[in-house]
């Protein structure tokens, strides 16, 4: 807990088993390495990373020193993750785990060999189901549908809105930042930008009658105002 606390923007001290908290890992110039959810169990922490391909694990390993009692294990294969969203998500969670709709955000509980996590809603309640295989045939929606829903809800995700091109404040991740904790990588820049209240960029939702493509430069009166 101490290691992750000093490595990221969120306050992770005192996190209790069954609880989850969000945090952002940043570079020395406060650019985002990854946004993550940290879930606490009795004797371990489970990090839900967005970047994939072991990016966050490689970043963390660079900062583990000889006196750190820290072991990192990639659980991606052992804990495949399925998102559950919509009008029936609460009923499923209540039937599957005996607890769902009344759970706090990011709270979680073990269910058999898996874990059920209360996630942010997307057009109805939201949950993550970890470590429980779900047959793909005729049951799972394409990932593109999830991205459509989270864009409509204004949720950033890697690698588009969460990347080293932006800092957490620009992506609207203020809730994952503690402005009263001790030092962490990138803190000085984040604290300075927050105190000044001036951001060069800010994530917004854009509606257009024309076709837009990822990476297009947006112009206003001949000036580039965003991407």
């Amino acid at each position: 807990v101490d290691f992750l606390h000093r490595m990221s923007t969120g306050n992770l001290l005192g996190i209790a088993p069954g609880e989850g908290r969000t945090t952002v890992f940043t570079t020395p110039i406060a650019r985002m390495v990854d946004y993550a959810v940290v879930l606490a169990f009795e004797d371990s922490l489970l990090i839900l990373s967005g970047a994939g391909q072991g990016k966050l694990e490689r970043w963390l390993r660079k900062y583990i020193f000889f006196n750190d009692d820290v072991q990192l294990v990639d659980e991606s294969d052992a804990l495949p993750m399925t998102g559950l969203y919509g009008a029936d998500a609460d009923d499923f969670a209540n039937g599957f785990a005996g607890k769902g709709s009344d759970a706090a955000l990011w709270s979680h509980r073990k269910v058999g060999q898996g874990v059920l996590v209360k996630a942010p809603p997307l057009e109805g309640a939201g949950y993550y189901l970890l470590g429980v295989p779900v047959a793909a045939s005729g049951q799972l929606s394409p990932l593109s549908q999830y991205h459509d829903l989270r864009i409509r809800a204004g949720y950033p995700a890697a690698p588009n809105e969460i990347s080293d091109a932006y800092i957490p404040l620009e992506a609207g991740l203020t809730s994952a930042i503690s402005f009263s904790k001790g030092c962490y990588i990138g803190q000085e820049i984040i604290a300075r930008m927050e105190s000044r209240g001036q951001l060069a960029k800010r994530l917004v939702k854009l509606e257009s009658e024309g076709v837009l493509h990822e990476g297009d430069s947006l112009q206003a009166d001949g000036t580039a105002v965003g991407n």
Side-chain angles (χ1 to χ4, degrees), residues 15-200:
I15 189 172
E19 184 182 0
R21 299 182 189 177
T22 57
T23 194
V24 187
F25 297 86
T26 54
T27 69
I29 58 172
R31 299 304 181 101
M32 289 188 288
V33 177
D34 204 358
Y35 167 76
V37 180
V38 179
L39 306 179
F41 295 87
E42 290 292 343
D43 58 357
S44 65
L45 298 172
L46 180 64
I47 304 173
L48 304 184
S49 165
Q53 289 85 46
K55 179 180 179 179
L56 180 56
E57 181 183 359
R58 292 192 298 272
W59 171 262
L60 292 175
R61 287 192 183 281
K62 295 192 301 182
Y63 294 93
I64 297 176
F65 301 112
F66 68 92
N67 58 337
D68 289 323
D69 184 16
V70 177
Q71 296 83 39
L72 295 178
V73 179
D74 186 348
E75 297 284 2
S76 302
D77 293 335
L79 294 173
M81 184 167 73
T82 303
L84 307 172
Y85 300 101
D88 298 328
D90 275 335
D91 290 339
F92 178 90
N94 285 323
F96 189 75
K99 181 180 181 181
S101 57
D102 59 341
L105 182 62
W106 301 124
S107 63
H108 53 92
R109 60 179 299 176
K110 291 185 177 181
V111 182
Q113 297 299 312
V115 180
L116 184 70
V117 184
K118 185 66 176 287
L122 287 178
E123 293 193 2
Y127 297 89
Y128 296 154
L129 187 61
L130 309 176
V132 179
V134 179
S137 177
Q139 295 189 38
L140 294 183
S141 300
L143 192 59
S144 59
Q145 185 174 350
Y146 164 77
H147 284 296
D148 180 64
L149 292 175
R150 65 100 182 160
I151 288 170
R152 292 176 185 274
Y155 295 157
N160 290 24
E161 302 85 19
I162 296 178
S163 75
D164 59 10
Y166 310 109
I167 71 170
L169 294 173
E170 294 172 336
L173 297 176
T174 305
S175 62
I177 302 173
S178 170
F179 295 101
S180 59
K181 63 178 284 185
C183 295
Y184 60 85
I185 298 174
Q187 180 193 36
E188 182 178 351
I189 293 175
I190 291 175
R192 184 167 66 244
M193 296 190 72
E194 191 275 336
S195 63
R196 293 178 178 176
Q198 297 179 336
L199 295 176

Side-chain angles (χ1 to χ4, degrees), residues 200-224:
K201 304 172 185 176
R202 189 182 301 273
L203 181 65
V204 298
K205 185 161 61 174
L206 181 70
E207 295 184 1
S208 172
E209 295 180 355
V211 176
L212 301 178
H213 300 92
E214 181 180 331
D216 282 352
S217 175
L218 304 179
Q219 307 283 325
D221 298 326
T223 301

